[in-house]
Amino acid sequence: MPTSHTVAHYESQTFDVQKFRKDFPIMNQQVHGKPLVYLDNAATTQKPLSVIETENRYYREYNANIHRGVHLLSQQATKAYEDARVKVQKFLNASQPSEIIYTRGATEGINLVAQTWGRKNVQAGDEILISAMEHHSNIVPWQMLCEEKGAKLQVIPINDAGELLMDEFKKLVTAKTKLVAVTHVSNALGTINPVVEIIQYAHSKGVLVLIDGAQSVPHVKVDVQVLDCDFYVFSGHKIYAPTGIGVLYGKLKHLETMPPYQGGGDMIASVTFHKTIYAKPPHKFEAGTPHIAGVIGMGAALDYVSAIGLDRIAAHEHELLVYGTKVLSQFKEVRFIGTASEKAGVISFTLGEIHPHDIGTILDKQGVAIRAGHHCAQPVMERFDIPATARASFGLYNVKEEIDVLAQAIQKTLEVFA
Ligand code: 7TS
């Protein structure tokens, strides 16, 4: 997240949010007779016309399978598919395109690492270290691995603000630790974790680090070479790209020694019934016909956010976070869940004794889309002793007026339950 200095810097430049909103056709509609106020961006983001049209053009003009056709359409599709890999490489500042593996999303990226690197390198008695604020997709794959191998899952605790206890983290990194897997930004709390410090410390003890970037890449500029993480995963759909496509970044030296994830077409150099020679990364990890349209659409989405500038998007969303926190603070019934000093544009809250599902339902009738539930982070709910939260999460197209509508809808909810 930008410092207040950078926020001020970008505030002085025009962030023409009204112009950007016009790029998202879905925004221009009413739900339940009210203008749509979409504040569920941590679940998934809306898609700009450039992404929709890029996918549409692929299907209308050059749909073909990749890497296997000599005909023109196949060559065009292959080029677009591999060009998108270079876009992702540049977006993350990976050192080469072969460090970029296409997956279905963050969930599949984590499962891939657990099932390939993990099964090869984790033994009985070893430990995997995660945090208390992980999404289920960065818990369950490690539990499955630990169960299979007789290894142990360790958890970095958090404080009441929803921040990692870094002293505890350091104590938990021991000679048994094989991997630290933590989220960059928490989906349930909004906390931005000190991943540079985590990676440096783990590396000083010879431990590899996987970062779950599902909630960070749309909001924070990520440079995997500066971070020096071993693995980084994200989902396209949270950064204005189609669903069903995502990315695993891995340092090439790891990818080269990892066994394949799935077997099939496109991941081999040669096959006989006697022996199969695998292709090199990234193709070794991309068995079968992939989500070609999604890949090309994701390339268009990264072009879109890069043209606006992630620093400017982060500054805009930070303004919304500050404004939203101020506006919601005026309700004495609001309890914020997640009050870290470093936060992304996520406001998770409860409202007196009203169940978050009721809040979500009443807000929906006012046109306001938020998420209510445990956010696939049940241990976070347990930590704060609540069943669920209501969560408003911002994207680049949101405006302060929408937060005012959210506040009016909260007022209405309080009146209904008075
Ligand atoms: N990691 C984090 C931190 C997430 O927030 C999510 C999805 C995932 C991983 C999994 O991403 P997927 O695209 O593979 O499903 N989080 C949410 C959410 O907060 N509301 O809906 C999905």
Side-chain angles (χ1 to χ4, degrees):
M1 242 2 228
T3 60
S4 50
H5 170 76
T6 54
V7 171
H9 170 72
Y10 282 113
E11 269 171 2
S12 65
Q13 299 186 4
T14 46
F15 186 86
D16 195 348
V17 63
Q18 292 303 338
K19 174 168 163 280
F20 302 141
R21 282 178 82 83
K22 292 202 183 85
D23 294 332
F24 293 81
I26 206 168
M27 291 300 179
N28 187 23
Q29 67 170 298
Q30 302 213 327
V31 292
H32 304 302
K34 302 271 166 58
L36 170 67
V37 172
Y38 187 78
L39 299 176
D40 195 16
N41 295 283
T44 200
T45 54
Q46 302 302 344
K47 318 306 170 199
L49 259 180
S50 62
V51 169
I52 296 167
E53 283 171 355
T54 297
E55 267 209 319
N56 192 295
R57 211 185 122 230
Y58 162 71
Y59 282 124
R60 293 171 80 106
E61 297 177 14
Y62 61 102
N63 169 56
N65 214 327
I66 53 163
H67 296 150
R68 47 190 103 179
V70 291
H71 60 80
L72 182 67
L73 295 194
S74 175
Q75 287 168 12
Q76 288 173 331
T78 303
K79 182 170 183 322
Y81 182 85
E82 292 302 334
D83 284 353
R85 199 187 303 274
V86 175
K87 287 180 190 185
V88 178
Q89 176 214 343
K90 293 198 170 134
F91 185 76
L92 293 179
N93 195 32
S95 62
Q96 44 203 316
S98 48
E99 293 184 321
I100 304 302
I101 294 159
Y102 295 129
T103 63
R104 282 192 296 126
T107 302
E108 191 179 45
I110 296 166
N111 277 277
L112 192 160
V113 176
Q115 291 299 313
T116 62
W117 180 88
R119 287 175 97 179
K120 182 169 179 200
N121 292 290
V122 175
Q123 316 295 341
D126 288 344
E127 293 180 358
I128 305 283
L129 183 53
I130 62 170
S131 88
M133 67 172 87
E134 299 308 317
H135 186 279
H136 295 165
S137 64
N138 200 28
I139 302 173
V140 185
W142 305 117
Q143 272 175 335
M144 291 161 65
L145 177 69
C146 287
E147 202 166 304
E148 179 184 324
K149 294 289 184 174
K152 192 171 174 198
L153 196 64
Q154 295 280 29
V155 183
I156 311 162
I158 55 177
N159 63 20
D160 290 343
E163 297 166 317
L164 292 178
L165 297 177
M166 291 299 284
D167 288 346
E168 297 300 316
F169 158 66
K170 289 177 184 168
K171 283 186 218 155
L172 285 163
V173 179
T174 70
K176 293 178 182 167
T177 314
K178 277 279 143 58
L179 180 81
V180 176
V182 289
T183 195
H184 195 163
V185 171
S186 157
N187 68 320
L189 303 165
T191 313
I192 302 174
N193 284 321
V195 287
V196 171
E197 195 185 336
I198 290 170
I199 294 161
Q200 282 175 359
Y201 187 80
H203 283 178
S204 75
K205 304 288 174 189
V207 177
L208 303 194
V209 182
L210 176 143
I211 302 292
D212 175 356
Q215 296 293 345
S216 45
V217 288
H219 313 291
V220 181
K221 181 92 196 81
V222 172
D223 181 325
V224 289
Q225 292 191 70
V226 169
L227 289 179
D228 197 31
C229 50
D230 298 282
F231 302 105
Y232 199 97
V233 301
F234 72 88
S235 295
H237 70 94
K238 293 193 201 282
I239 185 163
Y240 312 103
T243 52
I245 187 66
V247 167
L248 162 66
Y249 156 82
K251 283 183 181 167
L252 192 60
K253 64 177 181 189
H254 302 316
L255 298 178
E256 277 172 341
T257 60
M258 279 156 55
Y261 181 42
Q262 296 176 328
D266 234 23
M267 55 74 75
I268 53 90
S270 72
V271 177
T272 67
F273 287 122
H274 180 60
K275 186 168 173 58
T276 290
I277 315 268
Y278 304 130
K280 291 189 185 329
H283 305 295
K284 179 166 80 174
F285 300 101
E286 293 178 6
T289 301
H291 185 7
I292 304 166
V295 164
I296 298 170
M298 179 165 66
L302 298 185
D303 283 345
Y304 182 83
V305 294
S306 300
I308 297 174
L310 257 172
D311 289 343
R312 295 176 68 213
I313 293 170
H316 173 70
E317 291 171 350
H318 186 72
E319 255 190 83
L320 295 174
L321 173 71
V322 171
Y323 183 74
T325 306
K326 192 178 101 194
V327 169
L328 265 58
S329 299
Q330 289 162 8
F331 295 100
K332 64 177 189 324
E333 297 86 351
V334 164
R335 174 186 169 201
F336 293 106
I337 306 297
T339 50
S341 59
E342 294 288 318
K343 263 189 84 170
V346 171
I347 302 182
S348 231
F349 62 96
T350 57
L351 197 58
E353 295 300 309
I354 305 171
H355 195 283
H357 284 134
D358 293 330
I359 304 173
T361 306
I362 296 174
L363 263 52
D364 176 53
K365 291 285 182 288
Q366 306 302 310
V368 181
I370 59 148
R371 179 152 179 207
H374 54 60
H375 315 294
C376 299
Q378 283 182 346
V380 174
M381 302 299 116
E382 203 178 313
R383 168 67 179 75
F384 288 90
D385 202 18
I386 47 175
T389 75
R391 181 189 67 184
S393 53
F394 308 123
L396 68 89
Y397 33 59
N398 288 123
V399 291
K400 287 182 183 163
E401 290 75 11
E402 291 178 307
I403 294 171
D404 295 337
V405 176
L406 168 69
Q408 288 158 17
I410 289 175
Q411 177 61 40
K412 203 152 233 152
T413 311
L414 286 168
E415 285 163 17
V416 168
F417 281 88

